[in-house]
Amino acid sequence: MLLLVSCSADETAWSPQPQPWEDLTIRVETRPVQPRLGMNEFLLIANHQQRGFINNLLVEVRTTESDWKQAMPDGALGVFRRALPVADLQHDQLFVRLTRDGRHGEMTFPLSVSGQ
C-alpha cells in the first residue's frame, strides 16, 4: 500500500489556470491526471457564480490533433466530459468553444505542464 502511494505522489498533475467567460469560470482536469500520448479524458468544470444549474451551455472541445467534438454533460452541475487524442505533450493544446443563448466564447489551455 505504501509503495502505491509513494509512486503516485511523484506524478505532477496537469492543472492549467481556470479561465473566465461571462458569469462562468472554466476549469479543466484530465484522466489520467497528467495528459499522456494517446486518448485522454478531459473534464471541463463550469463554475456558475449564481451557484445554480447550468442547463443551457454547449461545450465543444478539440486538441491540435482532432476536430471539434461536443463534450457531454455529466448531470446538470456544470461538468462536461470528452475523450480526445494527444500526440505531442509539449505543443498540443486543448481548445474550448462555449455557446450559451446565442453567445459564443473560445479559450485555449496548453497541455504541457511546463507551458502553464
Side-chain angles (χ1 to χ4, degrees):
M1 183 74 132
L2 291 175
L3 181 61
L4 292 176
V5 172
S6 64
C7 289
S8 65
D10 291 339
E11 186 171 12
T12 303
W14 178 68
S15 180
Q17 289 291 336
Q19 295 184 28
W21 182 67
E22 295 189 346
D23 61 340
L24 302 174
T25 301
I26 306 298
R27 186 169 52 92
V28 180
E29 296 178 5
T30 58
R31 301 295 183 265
V33 296
Q34 174 61 38
R36 297 186 178 147
L37 295 178
M39 295 301 283
N40 291 265
E41 182 180 30
F42 292 91
L43 285 76
L44 291 93
I45 299 107
N47 293 323
H48 197 260
Q49 291 176 359
Q50 283 84 23
R51 303 273 188 228
F53 291 113
I54 301 173
N55 61 359
N56 58 347
L57 181 64
L58 173 67
V59 178
E60 296 173 282
V61 292
R62 73 176 183 88
T63 58
T64 308
E65 299 298 317
S66 70
D67 295 326
W68 287 106
K69 304 288 184 186
Q70 182 177 347
M72 302 312 296
D74 190 355
L77 298 176
V79 178
F80 299 83
R81 299 173 175 265
R82 187 67 194 212
L84 296 169
V86 174
D88 183 341
L89 293 171
Q90 294 303 313
H91 300 102
D92 278 3
Q93 298 180 350
L94 176 68
F95 301 96
V96 178
R97 186 162 55 192
L98 306 168
T99 304
R100 182 169 66 171
D101 298 330
R103 297 180 309 278
H104 305 280
E106 291 192 13
M107 51 189 63
T108 303
F109 296 91
L111 295 185
S112 171
V113 173
S114 61
Q116 295 180 36

